[in-house]
């Protein structure tokens, strides 16, 4: 069986010094196993100090975004090659705070995905509907619109270096977690969509949105869930370590 993946998205928290202290505590407490991997995504500027602290450990580090080009005139962007130099093995793309907060389009997210994968990084591709879209029964339409450009750009290429994350926007940072039925329905839809569009086995699908140790056990027990993308609870060493332990049990 493939291991569960628990990813901590630190968002814009923990600068280089604080991140180093946090990472050394995490190294002590957090115990990835054959059954559950622990991946963390610090801010770009903290990757170097975190990589130093975690060198030789089983925790994997990655970035919260990535550009597709190797280098060039792309002000404010970071290339996959730079990330690999800092020991990153993955990058998150299309997080809702970038899609909705900063206007990133589905096409842009697809280009980031393709660039990361071509460079040998795993791309964690986030998808999910807003509350308004859910309330108007548009969840599946939105998931299709977000996944389609990724399938088109990945056409013919292996999806081995892709992980999907279903994160309903209304569940992110709100304390409102999706119901088990909602998670099952959306994950099943995503799985079927990927199969029919690419004729490949669907990559792992993580759930994200207000995951805590209190609600994680029943989420991870769902057959359709392969791990979690965690924001708030990843900023507490104890909570994140507990999530990894739950995924491992
Ligand atoms: P949350 O964030 O766990 O704080 O809801 C999840 C995310 O944004 O990935």
């Amino acid at each position: 069986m493939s291991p569960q993946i628990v990813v901590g998205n630190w968002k814009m928290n923990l600068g280089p010094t604080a991140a180093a202290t946090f990472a050394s505590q995490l190294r002590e407490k957090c115990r990835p196993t054959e059954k559950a991997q622990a991946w963390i995504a610090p801010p770009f500027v903290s990757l170097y100090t975190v990589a130093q602290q975690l060198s030789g450990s089983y925790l994997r580090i990655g970035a919260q975004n990535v550009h597709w080009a190797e280098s060039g005139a792309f002000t404010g962007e970071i290339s996959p090659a730079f990330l690999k130099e800092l020991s990153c093995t993955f990058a998150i793309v299309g997080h809702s705070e970038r899609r909705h907060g900063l206007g990133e389009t589905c096409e842009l997210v697809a280009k980031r995905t393709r660039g990361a994968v071509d460079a040998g990084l795993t791309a964690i591709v986030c998808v999910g509907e807003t509350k308004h879209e859910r309330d108007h029964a548009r969840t599946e339409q939105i998931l299709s619109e977000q996944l389609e450009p990724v399938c088109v750009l990945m056409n013919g290429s292996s999806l081995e270096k892709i992980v999907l994350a279903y994160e309903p926007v209304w569940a992110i940072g709100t304390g409102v977690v999706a119901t088990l039925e909602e998670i099952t329905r959306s994950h099943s839809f995503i799985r079927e969509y990927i199969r029919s569009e690419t004729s490949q086995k669907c990559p792992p699908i993580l759930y994200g949105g207000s995951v805590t140790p209190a609600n994680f056990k029943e989420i991870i027990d769902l057959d359709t869930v392969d791990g979690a993308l965690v924001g708030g609870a990843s900023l507490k060493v104890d909570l994140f370590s507990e999530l990894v332990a739950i995924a491992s049990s």
Side-chain angles (χ1 to χ4, degrees), residues 9 11 95-97 167 171-175 208-211 229-233:
N9 172 13
K11 308 193 179 185
H95 190 279
S96 89
E97 283 148 20
E167 297 205 302
I172 297 177
T174 57
S210 298
V211 169
L229 180 53
V230 186

Side-chain angles (χ1 to χ4, degrees), residues 67 71-78 98 112:
H67 195 265
S71 62
F74 303 103
T75 302
E77 292 286 335
I78 301 290
R98 301 203 62 87
R112 294 190 188 283

Side-chain angles (χ1 to χ4, degrees), residues 139-153:
T139 297
E140 295 185 354
Q141 179 204 334
I142 297 301
L143 294 176
S144 310
E145 285 171 10
Q146 293 174 337
L147 290 169
E148 199 221 25
V150 174
C151 293
V152 170
L153 270 198

